Amino acid sequence: MQPPTTIRRRLNELEVRRRLRERPRVQGRILAPAGMFRRLPKAPGLYFPFYHDVPREYGRDLRRHLRTFRDIGAMVSWDDALAILAGRKPLTGPVFCVNFDDGHLSWRDVVAPILFDLNVPATFFVTTGLIGEAGNLTWSDVRELSGAGFGLGSHTVTHHRLADQDDMVAARELLDSKNEIEDQVGVAVRDFAAPYGNPAVDYLQRDVIAAREAGYRSFASTRRDAMHPGDSPMSINRQGLHPAWPLWAVRTRVHG
Ligand SMILES: [Zn+2]
């Protein structure tokens, strides 16, 4: 039996998107024209650009992105970003809070040296079930990132879509990952990034409530708008980027 046309079309779209993700330079070139009429931000606003794996071949590109942000505004830690949202620190221009998802080995080998070199703070959202798996960090690596001054947050245990889980399982994803990072690294974990990150699709209001109950102070999505003082830390907007993208493609995600 054939699935209905709309579903088939949707599956095709997903397939195209998946293939593009595997070819980030092509994806960046396709996105770029849409950035033609966008400008990098000039007005006060808080942006949370985030990345995943940064293979060595994209190290120079990541450096170029970060330098571009640094030329426009301040690069702040997650703590400082939350202080700005709470009105405890001023927001005088565009401000960037860089972060990374999943647990890739390249964070240790490629990303951290670049962040050090450019003096850019960052937070790493760790999927605890990935730690120690091939291509990912070990707990010893995660401890080193933390010891070097980078922030750590949770990105669940299994990277399953929270919205697909029942209440109990979803709550365990939030709590068990937090506990494991805290046990393994010895730091308090209070920031969470939802896998896939679309509100009401990939996670539910139920999960935000469970996160607060588990002791999290912030909850990150993949909504993209700039943030401002007074916005809720339990609904952090982030802009997903790939270092291979040209700046025009970056402007489709990070813009004024
Ligand atoms: Zn992820």
Side-chain angles (χ1 to χ4, degrees):
M1 200 181 89
Q2 282 274 346
T5 315
T6 47
I7 294 179
R8 222 166 40 228
R9 193 177 300 137
R10 179 85 187 121
L11 288 173
N12 283 339
E13 275 170 27
L14 289 174
E15 176 61 16
V16 168
R17 281 208 224 160
R18 188 183 63 74
R19 277 203 222 124
L20 282 175
R21 266 201 301 278
E22 287 166 3
R23 300 177 65 198
R25 288 213 193 274
V26 175
Q27 184 190 33
R29 280 201 292 274
I30 290 170
L31 276 171
M36 188 193 285
F37 302 108
R38 300 284 197 182
R39 292 289 170 266
L40 288 166
K42 281 191 190 141
L46 190 48
Y47 297 84
F48 295 82
F50 78 102
Y51 300 86
H52 295 92
D53 192 13
V54 184
R56 204 171 288 282
E57 60 182 303
Y58 300 125
R60 282 180 50 183
D61 302 290
L62 177 67
R63 210 177 265 273
R64 195 180 66 236
H65 284 197
L66 296 178
R67 280 215 187 95
T68 301
F69 297 140
R70 207 180 52 172
D71 287 347
I72 300 170
M75 310 295 281
V76 300
S77 67
W78 200 269
D79 280 353
D80 283 347
L82 295 186
I84 290 170
L85 288 180
R88 293 195 307 273
K89 288 202 171 184
L91 179 67
T92 54
V95 168
F96 301 94
C97 178
V98 178
N99 55 108
F100 296 82
D101 278 7
D102 297 345
H104 303 280
L105 203 52
S106 62
W107 294 357
R108 181 194 72 187
D109 297 337
V110 181
V111 173
I114 292 171
L115 293 170
F116 269 126
D117 194 36
L118 298 179
N119 197 22
V120 169
T123 287
F124 294 94
F125 288 98
V126 172
T127 301
T128 56
L130 291 176
I131 300 304
E133 298 288 311
N136 293 291
L137 300 174
T138 63
W139 281 114
S140 158
D141 297 326
V142 178
R143 277 190 287 275
E144 275 190 32
L145 286 175
S146 173
F150 296 112
L152 291 183
S154 161
H155 193 46
T156 72
V157 177
T158 65
H159 207 280
H160 292 157
R161 190 171 269 105
L162 287 171
D164 294 347
Q165 314 302 317
D166 69 32
D167 297 358
M168 184 83 93
V169 173
R172 291 245 66 96
E173 288 277 353
L174 289 155
L175 197 56
D176 291 353
S177 56
K178 182 179 195 292
N179 288 340
E180 185 163 19
I181 301 169
E182 290 181 343
D183 289 348
Q184 291 280 0
V185 183
V187 294
V189 171
R190 292 178 296 162
D191 306 306
F192 178 80
Y196 312 105
N198 286 313
V201 176
D202 301 320
Y203 70 88
L204 309 173
Q205 192 55 30
R206 167 202 74 182
D207 302 311
V208 178
I209 293 164
R212 198 179 276 124
E213 280 169 4
Y216 289 102
R217 62 175 179 175
S218 75
F219 191 110
S221 74
T222 54
R223 282 183 45 115
R224 295 182 198 145
D225 303 344
M227 296 191 77
H228 300 92
D231 290 346
S232 171
M234 297 310 281
S235 181
I236 300 273
N237 300 339
R238 302 191 298 162
Q239 300 79 34
L241 304 177
H242 193 289
W245 291 1
L247 290 173
W248 277 26
V250 171
R251 275 155 41 179
T252 65
R253 300 291 186 266
V254 179
H255 53 77

